[in-house]
Amino acid sequence: MDIKLKKKASPYGVKVPENKLSDKIPIEPAPLPDKVVIPLQQNIGAPCKATVKKGERVLVGQKIGDSDKFVSAPIHATVSGEVTGTKMVINPPTGQLVNALIITADGKDEWLELDVPQSPESLPVKELLTRIRGAGIVGLGGAAFPTQVKLSPPPDKPIDTVILNGCECEPYATSDHRVMLEYGEKMLRGLNIIRKILDPKAVYIAIEDNKEDAISHLEKLIANSEFRDDFKIVPLKSKYPMGAEKTLIKMLLGREVPIGKLPLDAGVVVHNASTAKAIYDAIYEGKPLIERVVTITGAVKQPKNLLTRFGTSIGSLINYCGSMNKGANKLIMGGPMMGIAQFDLDFPVVKGTNCLVVQESKLREEHDCIRCGKCIEVCPMGLMPTDLARYAKAGRYDECKEKYIDDCVECGACAFTCPANIPIVQYVKVAKKELAKGATR
Amino acid sequence: MIIGILTGIGIACGVAIYMVYIKVPQKVKGLEKTEELHDILPGANCGACGYPGCFAYAQALAKDPSLMTKSPCAMVLQDPERLKRLEKALGISLDASAMSKKALVHCNSDSPVISDYSGVMTCKAAAQLLRGYKKCLYACLGLGDCVKVCPQGAIFIDPEKSTAVVNTEKCTGCGLCVKECPQNIIELVSPKTKIAFLCSYEPLKNIPGREKCSFGCIHCRKCFNACEYEAIKWNKEKAIPEFNHEKCTLCGKCIEACPQHTLIDFTRVRKETELISSSP
């Protein structure tokens, strides 16, 4: 299989106002929280069971939750202090009720002794995978899929390409952009670990062309390192949703992921830029995943990129960035296109939180579909969103399935472009959930 | 000559059609019973029995009469005349009063709305996003998914509390609303129910129920202690009372004792719903 590079702009997708307010602002560590609330399920897959008891003292990086299922990732304490209780909280991205541990910080920030390997480069693949799982690494692009599962493909599915996704096509979000600029070298070493595990024929770093400084910075880094023959940077035209896994594969390699299958089936693995940096931390420094860069942006006094411990309440981060502007009435976790609006400032930052957007939004009234077909033009998966929404509205979920609703990546391009303000993605999500329940009327 | 041949063909055709008419029966054999049952069934095609329409249900009943006890047609159970005919046709006897059910919404919420929800105005869509927009995570959202699905028009939304209320006079207990409710707060109860418990709030240990809603159960056990007839059992797991309606005499002591007004006389629910439904 030879790999062809296509540098065309995507014929699908939509131009969205980028609003990258914080792309010139360096990453700074957020203040240590007094109390963290850590949900015991932060990834796709099985929830974890608590491994510590109430009243126990924990150190930073100590494992506090684990599961014996394959698709799972352990969870670590993000501050040192005492476990003061458990409570049921809403898992912010999904809305499920999950158990959470509350840790009251003692302010000392004492770390567990880190297990740093002597020569990380020469560790065997199996050891690397166990270390990645042990560090609780999940995909940091937003979906939070456990990374070690992605890195251990079944033997009958050869992987010939690895793509590092630095597109960050969501408006407002700049966390990956800053990670590429400031932790570029760590990220490349993390990518090298991924390459070692999967042994692909080619490794690409995909970056949208609105991040010119990141492209030139990484090009310089690669030229001066031992990876100069292996890694290749591919600038892509910025068009939403370029960073969606399936779109990216289609644009870059001209391959399509089969219906209902994973990128694995097309011989490709896509990892996020921040994930590669987290892999570096886990392998070279022995650090588990306890913090990530979160962009706080939108209608706040000073947009910032904050290195945040998980479990910090989103309200305290917003206060740190100066309060919200007057008239701000909406807080979205994730980017404005795919994120979910939150109603409580006490919700914690979790592994999948890449961005918090404060908006001054107006209520948009839903009108009837005028059959303009704009959503069909922009759908990156080539679906007919108008039909899906109409069937879902009427409760005809099996017809949604016939129209390939499972292929929808919920990018939100259709709802963004809809002149009748139809919340198409929400209809699709309802239909998907009802289909999963097996309910047909 | 030609006229003779044509006449011959005509006569032959006539005879053939006559023979076919005589020999082939007018009705498909084996469907007599199904059709008899189909005449008895209400013909509403509501789908509550789990079959696509009354004819499919009649077909299934003809094969297996015991289906009427497993997934009964709720509308027949409400109608004594139809029930008698069905019993005769199936050759079994049914105890309608034990089998019929009424839907009860376990929520009397005045839980405050904490976020401006805008989007798809159905309970399912709202519940999917962080479990709705009310302070109580178990509250009736009042967007009316159950109202739309009810074949009898027995459910309506109380405009003051935006909570669904079932008119038990009209309700046949088909259970479609139970399947529809994303918050899982509708239950089918026996029509003999005397006390209705109107809260679905599960104990979240460090948030007392009264913070969420002024009618929420606070798990205080006062109703359990007030009962003199041992009609209330305390469910320790869920920390809610369970009622034995045989022993209950409807003395009203538990209703008086409840500090949150979570308990309501079930017969009064019915009367209240009549009041609301009769007013425009």
Side-chain angles (χ1 to χ4, degrees), chain A residues 91-120:
Chain A
N91 195 7
T94 58
Q96 293 161 315
L97 275 178
V98 291
N99 247 322
L101 288 174
I102 304 166
I103 302 174
T104 310
D106 53 12
K108 290 177 197 152
D109 202 33
E110 270 179 75
W111 280 73
L112 198 73
E113 207 169 306
L114 298 176
D115 169 26
V116 186
Q118 287 292 322
S119 53

Side-chain angles (χ1 to χ4, degrees), chain B residues 156-159 165 269 271-280:
Chain B
F156 54 93
I157 305 292
D158 181 343
V165 188
V269 174
K271 273 171 201 154
E272 275 179 8
T273 59
E274 270 166 25
L275 273 179
I276 301 167
S277 61
S278 58
S279 63

Side-chain angles (χ1 to χ4, degrees), chain B residues 110-186:
Chain B
D110 66 343
S111 185
V113 173
I114 52 168
S115 62
D116 293 335
Y117 175 72
S118 67
V120 180
M121 282 298 169
T122 61
C123 301
K124 270 182 206 156
Q128 208 172 351
L129 285 177
L130 310 175
R131 294 192 69 129
Y133 48 85
K134 284 188 174 178
K135 198 170 180 188
C136 176
L137 301 180
Y138 302 87
C140 172
L141 297 173
L143 291 174
D145 280 17
C146 50
V147 176
K148 275 173 223 150
V149 82
C150 183
Q152 306 298 333
I155 311 180
F156 54 93
I157 305 292
D158 181 343
E160 268 174 38
K161 291 176 181 168
S162 85
T163 304
V165 188
V166 180
N167 182 348
T168 40
E169 296 282 287
K170 282 189 188 169
C171 175
T172 59
C174 66
L176 282 177
C177 51
V178 178
K179 283 178 209 152
E180 198 71 4
C181 181
Q183 301 286 76
N184 294 326
I185 55 173
I186 309 180

Side-chain angles (χ1 to χ4, degrees), chain A residues 290-359:
Chain A
I290 57 152
E291 54 190 0
R292 68 161 299 151
V293 181
V294 181
T295 308
I296 289 96
T297 179
V300 288
K301 292 260 152 61
Q302 178 57 54
K304 275 179 181 159
N305 296 299
L306 296 177
L307 190 62
T308 314
R309 301 279 170 93
F310 301 128
T312 314
S313 73
I314 53 183
S316 69
L317 289 182
I318 285 166
N319 283 340
Y320 184 68
C321 295
S323 54
M324 294 187 204
N325 292 356
K326 259 186 198 165
N329 55 3
K330 197 172 186 181
L331 171 64
I332 306 173
M333 188 180 270
M337 297 295 279
M338 285 185 76
I340 290 176
Q342 307 289 321
F343 57 74
D344 196 341
L345 288 175
D346 288 339
F347 282 149
V349 169
V350 292
K351 288 179 181 175
T353 311
N354 53 357
C355 184
L356 292 172
V357 188
V358 181
Q359 278 187 333

